[in-house]
């Protein structure tokens, strides 16, 4: 996990604040703002298809960030993340339709509502861990799925519910290009909040609970509180992501938030890097883009190998499964670890360490 | 001399007097003015602990004076760590009470005991392996920090100042234990001796009144042992902490302890100054076997 990140010559720290900055040095800062500028330019440069993929990466990224706080940082496990994601989508739609609160406000409110639900389903974590907790969260997945299908007052039952298009001071986010900026805003906010959390008291407490819960308790950390809190924070981000998804599609249906989707979230954080805020986004991008890439590859190879066209649907699904296995074997610390190795290599060149 | 004396009445005196022994004398005279209750930080009263049919501790009573180093020795399985676990809250004794600063610890959760001022280290390393040394020590300050997940997420509005203030305190501890070289290293990658020291640093960060050390010198070489013994002396002398220590190295125990208690199969068989304990016949029997056993 630990990869050396040597500082460039002349970069001396003269105060403690220097150690806690989000961006460790100038290259890091410049790199970040360069990427941000690129992200802002995407709708002007690319067509709707690329923008819609970016929107998906952003929305799933926010939800996966929540799961990473729970699984990667606190060492708990959840197989019900998609259900929380779905709860966020329904909550926002329901709040907006029934109370008339504008969508821009129901999105964070949906996050708060999902937090409450997540904390209720997180209560078993106070007593059980590992595989047993996984099964307990599986119950959350099925209970919520059933709730979506039957609670017609809340979700519209099997018919689903309509979600309004968000609007801010007369500016409607009605196209992909416009909605992209709303998602980008929430991605920035979510990742900033999570990064801050991880360099302050409660973030450290989460990691302490993960690494050695017995000694964490002796250090004065209330295990029950932090385990349930972790479920709450995780669900908050799932709720935000879900709400954004609902209003993006304009329609929320109960079927889409199944167990497969939950596992996909786990795949995102495993591939991106457990316990890494930035890695979450890399993993999400990987999972979203992999099927597209396979499609592209099949199209490219279908000239010499025409039979590939028939098996294309399988290849897309199988590629995700294969990617997870390959990552677990060869890069269990995720894409972010690979990136850190590349960065260290670049910094230290021509020396090896 | 490091200036991390905290909530300690002797701080100013200690900073003036640079000799550890002189400090002890100074403090003892001060202590004698206090009421007798305050003299004892911890008192165990007839503590018995059972696991099913196994008696881990039977009727163990002892008192620990403020500012002393109190050692618990005994064979493997004698109940030393069980005793520490009763104090830190991991085990709940079926009978008897543990009185800390005049109040019973019964019913106090494990995590609230850090707040009460009880810190401890573990026999088998229990660091947060993936965190840096700095963060490990910062976790020790958990109960002293006020920022939470909300204010922590909005880092720049308050939490930052607090974090940096506590970071400065952590740096004092790093200076005290000479961990400067490794402060950014991942705790899990350090050598055994260093990890033990980081664990001590983390316990000090709690700013405890009473610090429990479970075999602080196990697996160390002579030099590391000497360093650790010096740090433990400084815990008493510089930081005014009371130390309860489990240790197998008799040389160290006899050199740095003020009082020693010997446990054998869960029973207290001797207590007193190191010399008294060394010359106790029961202790000799327990450690060396009785004469008639051989015959």
């Amino acid at each position: 996990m630990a990869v050396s990140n040597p500082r460039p010559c002349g970069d001396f720290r003269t105060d403690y604040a220097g150690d806690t900055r989000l961006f460790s040095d100038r290259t890091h800062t410049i790199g970040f703002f360069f990427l941000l500028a690129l992200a802002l330019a995407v709708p002007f440069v690319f067509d709707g298809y690329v923008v819609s993929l970016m929107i998906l990466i952003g929305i799933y990224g926010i939800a996966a960030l929540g799961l990473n706080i729970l699984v990667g940082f606190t060492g708990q496990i959840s197989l019900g993340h998609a259900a929380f994601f779905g709860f966020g989508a329904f909550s926002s739609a329901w709040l907006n339709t029934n109370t008339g609160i504008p969508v821009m406000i129901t999105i964070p409110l949906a996050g708060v509502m999902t937090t409450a639900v997540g904390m209720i389903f997180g209560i078993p974590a106070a007593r059980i861990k590992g595989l047993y907790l996984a099964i307990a969260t599986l119950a959350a997945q099925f209970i919520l799925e059933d709730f979506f299908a039957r609670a017609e007052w809340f979700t519209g039952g099997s018919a689903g519910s309509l979600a309004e298009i968000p609007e801010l001071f007369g500016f409607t986010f009605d196209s992909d290009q416009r909605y992209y900026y709303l998602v980008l805003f929430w991605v920035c906010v979510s990742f900033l909040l999570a990064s801050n959390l991880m360099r302050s008291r409660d973030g450290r407490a989460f990691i302490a609970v993960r690494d050695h819960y017995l000694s964490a308790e002796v250090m004065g950390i209330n295990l029950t509180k932090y385990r349930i809190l972790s479920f709450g924070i995780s669900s908050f981000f799932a709720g935000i992501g879900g709400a954004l998804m609902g209003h993006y599609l304009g329609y929320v249906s109960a079927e889409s938030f199944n167990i497969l989707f939950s596992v996909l979230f786990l795949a995102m954080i495993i591939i991106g890097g457990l316990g890494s805020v930035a890695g979450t986004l890399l993993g999400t991008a990987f999972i979203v883009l992999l099927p597209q890439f396979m499609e592209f590859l099949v199209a490219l190879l279908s000239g010499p190998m025409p039979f590939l066209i028939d098996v294309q649907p399988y290849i897309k699904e199988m590629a995700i499964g294969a990617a997870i296995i390959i990552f677990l074997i060869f890069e269990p610390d995720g894409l972010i670890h690979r990136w850190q190795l590349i960065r260290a290599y670049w910094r230290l060149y021509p020396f090896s360490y | 001399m490091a200036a991390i004396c905290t909530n300690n009445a002797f701080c100013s005196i200690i900073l003036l007097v640079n000799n550890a022994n002189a400090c002890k004398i100074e403090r003892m005279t001060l202590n004698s003015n206090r009421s007798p209750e305050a003299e004892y930080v911890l008192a165990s009263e007839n503590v018995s602990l059972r696991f099913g049919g196994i008696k881990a501790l039977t009727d163990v009573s002892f008192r620990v004076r403020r500012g002393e180093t109190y050692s618990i020795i005994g064979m493997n399985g004698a109940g030393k760590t069980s005793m520490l676990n009763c104090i830190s809250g991991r085990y709940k004794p079926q009978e008897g009470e543990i009185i800390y600063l005049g109040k019973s610890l019964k019913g106090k959760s494990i995590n609230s005991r850090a707040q009460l001022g009880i810190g401890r280290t573990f026999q088998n390393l229990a660091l947060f392996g993936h965190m840096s040394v700095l963060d490990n020590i910062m976790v020790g300050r958990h109960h002293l920090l006020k920022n939470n997940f909300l204010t922590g997420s909005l880092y720049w509005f308050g939490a930052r100042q607090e974090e940096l203030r506590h970071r400065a305190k952590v740096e004092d501890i790093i200076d005290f234990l000479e961990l400067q070289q490794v402060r950014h290293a991942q705790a899990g990658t350090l050598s055994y001796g260093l990890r033990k020291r980081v664990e001590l640093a983390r316990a000090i960060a709690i700013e405890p009144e009473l610090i429990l050390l479970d075999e602080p010198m196990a697996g160390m070489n002579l030099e590391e042992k000497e360093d650790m013994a010096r740090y433990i002396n400084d815990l008493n002398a510089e930081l005014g902490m009371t130390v309860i220590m489990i240790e197998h190295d008799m040389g160290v125990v006899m050199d740095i302890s003020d009082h020693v208690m010997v446990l054998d199969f869960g029973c207290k068989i001797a207590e007193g100054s190191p010399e008294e304990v060394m010359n106790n016949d029961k202790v000799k029997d327990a450690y060396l076997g009785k004469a008639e056993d051989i015959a």
Side-chain angles (χ1 to χ4, degrees), chain A residues 2 19 196 201-202 211 215, chain B residues 126 130 142 149 153 163 184 186:
Chain A
D19 270 351
N196 280 338
R201 169 179 177 260
D202 282 8
D211 277 4
S215 63
Chain B
H130 292 99
H142 183 83
F149 66 102
S153 299
E163 289 279 329
H184 290 294
Q186 198 185 347

Side-chain angles (χ1 to χ4, degrees), chain B residues 151-185:
Chain B
T151 52
S153 299
L154 305 167
Y155 192 71
W156 302 278
F157 307 99
R160 182 171 179 273
Q161 285 308 314
E162 193 190 22
E163 289 279 329
L164 293 179
R165 231 175 18 248
H166 284 263
R167 167 74 194 273
K169 296 260 174 144
V170 165
E171 285 295 333
D172 286 341
I173 298 169
I174 286 174
D175 285 347
F176 177 70
L177 293 177
E178 294 158 41
L179 288 166
Q180 295 94 333
Q181 297 297 317
V182 295
R183 63 158 81 77
H184 290 294

Side-chain angles (χ1 to χ4, degrees), chain A residues 305-322:
Chain A
M305 291 179 274
F307 66 92
L308 278 176
I309 297 285
D310 301 330
V311 295
Q312 192 204 40
Y314 316 133
I315 288 186
K316 276 163 79 171
E317 297 295 326
M318 281 160 60
I320 291 184

Side-chain angles (χ1 to χ4, degrees), chain A:
Chain A
M1 205 82 155
V3 179
S4 70
N5 180 21
R7 292 206 298 274
C9 281
D11 177 13
F12 301 117
R13 304 262 161 90
T14 51
D15 55 2
Y16 298 144
D19 270 351
T20 61
R21 287 206 181 93
L22 285 179
F23 307 117
S24 54
D25 54 59
R26 208 154 48 119
T27 329
H28 197 173
T29 320
I30 294 169
F32 170 78
F33 283 105
F34 178 68
L35 281 179
L36 188 67
L38 275 187
L40 283 168
V42 160
F44 296 105
V45 181
F46 294 101
D47 60 357
Y49 180 65
V50 173
V51 174
S52 72
L53 282 179
M54 297 288 282
I55 290 175
L56 279 188
I57 292 172
I59 291 174
Y60 292 165
I62 294 170
L65 176 66
L67 191 64
N68 212 344
I69 289 173
L70 182 71
V71 179
F73 286 104
T74 323
Q76 309 295 297
I77 183 93
S78 172
L79 288 174
H81 206 63
F84 298 128
F85 185 79
F87 192 86
F90 282 120
S91 314
S92 186
W94 178 79
L95 271 175
N96 176 245
T97 343
N98 286 50
T99 62
I101 300 172
V103 175
M104 298 306 279
I105 299 170
T106 61
I107 290 173
L109 281 182
V112 174
M113 281 172 75
T114 317
T115 304
V117 174
M119 284 170 97
I120 292 167
F121 282 108
I123 289 171
R127 302 292 301 223
I128 53 180
K129 32 182 208 294
L131 284 174
Y132 301 93
L133 181 62
I135 298 301
T137 57
L138 196 61
Q141 169 76 37
F142 288 126
I143 290 170
L144 282 176
E145 253 187 88
D146 200 52
F147 174 75
F148 296 154
R150 288 169 201 275
E152 300 214 347
W153 58 275
F154 186 67
T155 65
S158 52
S161 66
L162 292 174
E164 284 276 318
I165 291 164
E167 190 196 75
L168 184 69
F169 305 123
F171 181 85
T172 51
F173 295 91
D174 51 1
S175 67
D176 276 9
Q177 272 80 1
R178 289 177 170 192
Y179 204 82
Y180 173 85
Y181 287 104
L182 182 64
V183 173
L184 186 62
F185 167 77
W186 276 107
V187 168
C188 291
V189 169
S190 303
F191 279 76
L192 202 60
L193 290 180
S195 307
N196 280 338
L197 178 65
M198 287 310 149
R199 56 177 174 158
S200 62
R201 169 179 177 260
D202 282 8
R204 279 194 302 271
F206 285 148
I207 302 174
V209 170
R210 176 194 71 189
D211 277 4
H212 205 295
Y213 69 96
L214 288 174
S215 63
E217 201 171 17
V218 171
M219 294 300 122
I221 293 167
N222 185 339
L223 295 181
T224 307
K225 178 188 156 189
Y226 279 95
R227 283 177 180 152
I228 295 177
L229 182 67
S230 178
F231 265 92
I233 291 174
S234 151
S235 305
F236 176 77
F237 288 118
I240 297 271
L244 284 170
M245 192 71 187
H247 293 291
Y248 174 55
L249 298 176
Y251 169 77
V252 193
S253 91
E255 295 91 61
S256 43
F257 311 111
N258 51 19
I259 174 98
L260 184 71
F261 197 18
S262 286
V263 174
L264 216 53
F265 276 128
L266 278 174
M268 287 173 197
I269 60 171
I270 290 169
I271 288 177
L274 287 170
S276 162
V277 171
T280 310
L281 212 51
L282 287 179
T284 314
F286 187 89
I287 289 286
V288 172
L289 297 180
L290 184 63
Q292 316 299 327
F293 177 72
M294 295 315 287
E295 208 168 300
F296 167 77
L297 208 63
V298 166
L300 201 72
L301 296 176
S302 59
M305 291 179 274
F307 66 92
L308 278 176
I309 297 285
D310 301 330
V311 295
Q312 192 204 40
Y314 316 133
I315 288 186
K316 276 163 79 171
E317 297 295 326
M318 281 160 60
I320 291 184
I324 295 174
I325 294 172
I326 289 168
F327 265 92
L328 283 176
I329 295 172
F330 293 107
E331 192 56 283
D333 293 331
L335 283 168
I336 193 74
H337 180 245
R338 191 51 49 180
W339 159 247
Q340 284 163 351
L341 290 176
I342 293 168
R343 184 177 62 186
Y345 175 82
W346 181 257
R347 283 257 168 92
L348 296 167
Y349 188 84
F351 305 104
S352 55
Y353 56 84

Side-chain angles (χ1 to χ4, degrees), chain B residues 12-294:
Chain B
S12 51
I13 300 163
I14 290 162
L15 284 172
L16 288 174
V17 187
N18 221 343
N19 182 304
N21 292 324
C23 277
K24 268 189 183 164
I25 297 160
E26 199 76 45
R27 186 156 64 243
M28 274 176 180
T29 51
L30 263 174
N31 262 341
S32 61
N33 297 332
R34 294 190 173 195
S35 58
E37 293 91 56
E39 205 183 328
Y40 295 102
V41 171
L42 188 99
S44 160
E45 288 175 359
N46 308 314
V47 166
S48 294
L49 178 73
R50 285 187 302 274
F51 299 107
I54 299 166
K55 285 188 148 187
L57 294 169
T58 313
D59 225 11
V60 179
S61 301
F62 64 95
R63 287 171 154 198
V64 181
R65 278 169 206 275
R66 186 181 294 274
E68 74 169 341
T69 297
Y70 189 98
S71 291
I72 304 176
I73 61 172
M75 295 289 151
N76 279 322
K80 306 179 297 296
T81 301
S82 294
M83 192 64 236
L84 277 206
N85 281 342
C86 286
I87 302 171
S88 72
R90 171 73 45 212
Y91 296 155
K92 294 180 179 63
Q94 278 88 0
E95 283 153 47
E97 260 190 312
I98 293 167
I99 313 287
Y100 170 73
L101 295 176
K103 288 194 192 95
S104 173
L105 282 178
K106 204 172 242 169
K108 293 264 190 281
S109 66
I110 302 173
N111 55 281
S112 69
R113 292 181 195 211
Q115 218 153 352
L116 293 173
I118 302 178
R120 80 167 284 183
T121 66
F122 292 82
Q123 179 179 0
N124 305 314
L125 293 165
L127 286 176
F128 308 121
H130 292 99
M131 280 192 203
S132 69
V133 168
L134 253 176
D135 281 345
N136 264 282
I137 306 174
M138 280 297 271
V139 171
R141 303 197 71 80
H142 183 83
H143 72 100
L144 298 164
L145 282 156
K146 293 285 168 288
N147 75 71
N148 58 26
F149 66 102
L150 290 174
T151 52
S153 299
L154 305 167
Y155 192 71
W156 302 278
F157 307 99
R160 182 171 179 273
Q161 285 308 314
E162 193 190 22
E163 289 279 329
L164 293 179
R165 231 175 18 248
H166 284 263
R167 167 74 194 273
K169 296 260 174 144
V170 165
E171 285 295 333
D172 286 341
I173 298 169
I174 286 174
D175 285 347
F176 177 70
L177 293 177
E178 294 158 41
L179 288 166
Q180 295 94 333
Q181 297 297 317
V182 295
R183 63 158 81 77
H184 290 294
Q186 198 185 347
T189 62
L190 296 178
S191 70
Y192 190 81
L194 273 174
R195 274 194 254 183
K196 281 260 176 199
R197 225 192 284 173
V198 175
E199 241 196 86
L200 180 61
R202 195 178 63 175
I204 293 174
I206 296 175
E207 299 191 355
E209 180 87 17
L210 172 68
I211 189 162
L212 315 170
L213 306 177
D214 198 345
E215 300 201 14
M217 287 150 211
M220 289 189 168
N221 64 28
L222 184 64
E223 196 186 337
E224 287 170 327
K225 273 183 190 172
E226 281 172 350
D227 280 345
M228 191 54 94
R230 186 161 50 83
Y231 294 134
I232 293 171
N233 268 337
D234 286 348
L235 288 183
N236 285 156
E238 277 190 43
L239 308 179
M241 291 173 188
T242 309
V243 179
I244 299 182
M245 174 175 79
I246 294 176
E247 186 48 56
H248 280 296
D249 187 314
M250 282 309 130
V252 173
V253 169
M254 295 306 152
D255 280 351
I256 66 173
S257 313
D258 295 299
H259 287 96
V260 179
M261 171 170 80
V262 189
L263 288 178
D264 191 33
F265 291 105
C267 301
K268 180 167 114 176
I269 58 170
E271 186 185 13
S273 67
E275 295 77 26
E276 286 166 14
V277 167
M278 282 277 260
N279 298 321
N280 187 305
D281 289 334
K282 279 185 183 171
V283 178
K284 284 181 187 165
D285 287 346
Y287 269 83
L288 301 173
K290 291 195 182 90
E292 56 262 37
D293 289 349
I294 305 163

